[in-house]
Amino acid sequence: DTAVSQTPKYLVTQMGNDKSIKCEQNLGHDTMYWYKQDSKKFLKIMFSYNNKELIINETVPNRFSPKSPDKAHLNLHINSLELGDSAVYFCASSQDYGGPPGEQYFGPGTRLTVT
Amino acid sequence: AQSVSQHNHHVILSEAASLELGCNYSYGGTVNLFWYVQYPGQHLQLLLKYFSGDPLVKGIKGFEAEFIKSKFSFNLRKPSVQWSDTAEYFCAVMRDSSYKLIFGSGTRLLVRP
């Protein structure tokens, strides 16, 4: 009964490839997020969707494209992968329902290694 | 730009020692404050949060934090640490219902048995 799940857990790929990471939450939350954690453990928000609408789009290369087919899913597609994309990517969700943003629940992370 | 500073990057303590991890932020408006913990190989878990009310907040596993508005601080404390508290601790700030959680750089805590 995992609250926020991500697949795959590990992803090793070569430069130039295109890959996707999937995220699903079964908490009934209406806001989902993608974060990137670099090798120094620094966490930075990338995107956020509220009820399938993009509400946060940080300064991220346009090779990264989030897609939210419904409010329980937020996928991250990355084109033309580069060495610098190697990181751990965390998905998160929060319950807001039109009020102030609530606490965020994080998934287990996807460790992406680009060779 | 809003920033969150965690001044202690690495902390080493012996079991039963007291812990205080510093967190300062730079935004002057209304903020929501959080401490998250990341145990080795695991995802982030919420330790405690402050939205409003009593500035002394109690969280899970005996942790507490105090919001001092005049100092823009939200320091994390625990009176007696255990070996199982070894982890990375992240302070995070969300301003004005913005949805955007800004994280500090983290503090790595090592507790020696």
Side-chain angles (χ1 to χ4, degrees):
Chain A
D1 58 342
T2 305
V4 182
S5 59
Q6 295 178 228
T7 53
K9 191 170 181 180
Y10 299 96
L11 183 54
V12 181
T13 188
Q14 291 183 325
M15 283 175 56
N17 285 348
D18 303 339
K19 291 291 179 186
S20 292
I21 307 172
K22 296 186 176 182
C23 178
E24 176 181 1
Q25 54 94 4
N26 62 7
L27 297 166
H29 291 170
D30 57 358
T31 307
M32 295 184 72
Y33 311 78
W34 276 111
Y35 287 85
K36 179 180 180 181
Q37 186 176 45
D38 63 22
S39 57
K40 295 184 179 178
K41 297 283 190 174
F42 185 64
L43 265 159
K44 191 168 165 39
I45 190 164
M46 301 173 69
F47 302 103
S48 177
Y49 271 75
N50 176 264
N51 280 318
K52 301 198 298 174
E53 182 184 341
L54 182 66
I55 57 171
I56 296 175
N57 187 357
E58 288 295 283
T59 308
V60 175
N62 57 15
R63 298 181 293 104
F64 290 78
S65 53
K67 285 191 171 45
S68 181
D70 54 62
K71 73 175 194 178
H73 295 84
L74 180 62
N75 303 325
L76 183 65
H77 189 75
I78 316 169
N79 288 330
S80 303
L81 278 155
E82 299 178 358
L83 291 176
D85 298 332
S86 295
V88 181
Y89 292 84
F90 286 98
C91 177
S93 71
S94 66
Q95 177 175 309
D96 304 309
Y97 299 127
E103 64 188 79
Q104 295 180 19
Y105 293 78
F106 284 78
T110 295
R111 183 174 293 275
L112 171 64
T113 304
V114 182
T115 61
Chain B
Q2 183 182 8
S3 68
V4 181
S5 300
Q6 292 182 242
H7 309 294
N8 316 102
H9 297 294
H10 292 92
V11 173
I12 302 174
L13 295 173
S14 298
E15 274 195 315
S18 64
L19 170 72
E20 179 158 3
L21 300 181
C23 174
N24 289 87
Y25 60 94
S26 62
Y27 182 63
T30 302
V31 292
N32 297 330
L33 301 160
F34 306 81
W35 275 98
Y36 281 86
V37 61
Q38 188 175 24
Y39 297 103
Q42 295 190 28
H43 61 284
L44 286 102
Q45 301 170 45
L46 183 70
L47 268 181
L48 48 78
K49 61 187 178 186
Y50 172 81
F51 281 13
S52 63
D54 189 344
L56 185 61
V57 178
K58 294 194 185 299
I60 61 171
K61 304 187 181 187
F63 286 92
E64 66 178 30
E66 185 175 13
F67 170 49
I68 303 179
K69 190 174 181 178
S70 60
K71 293 185 178 180
F72 300 91
S73 71
F74 189 56
N75 293 354
L76 180 71
R77 299 195 291 251
K78 185 170 184 178
S80 176
V81 294
Q82 300 173 312
W83 174 79
S84 58
D85 293 324
T86 294
E88 190 101 20
Y89 292 81
F90 294 93
C91 179
V93 175
M94 182 185 291
R95 69 174 205 193
D96 285 344
S97 303
S98 70
Y99 293 92
K100 192 184 295 187
L101 203 54
I102 309 296
F103 281 88
S105 54
T107 296
R108 183 165 295 182
L109 171 66
L110 172 63
V111 179
R112 293 189 168 141

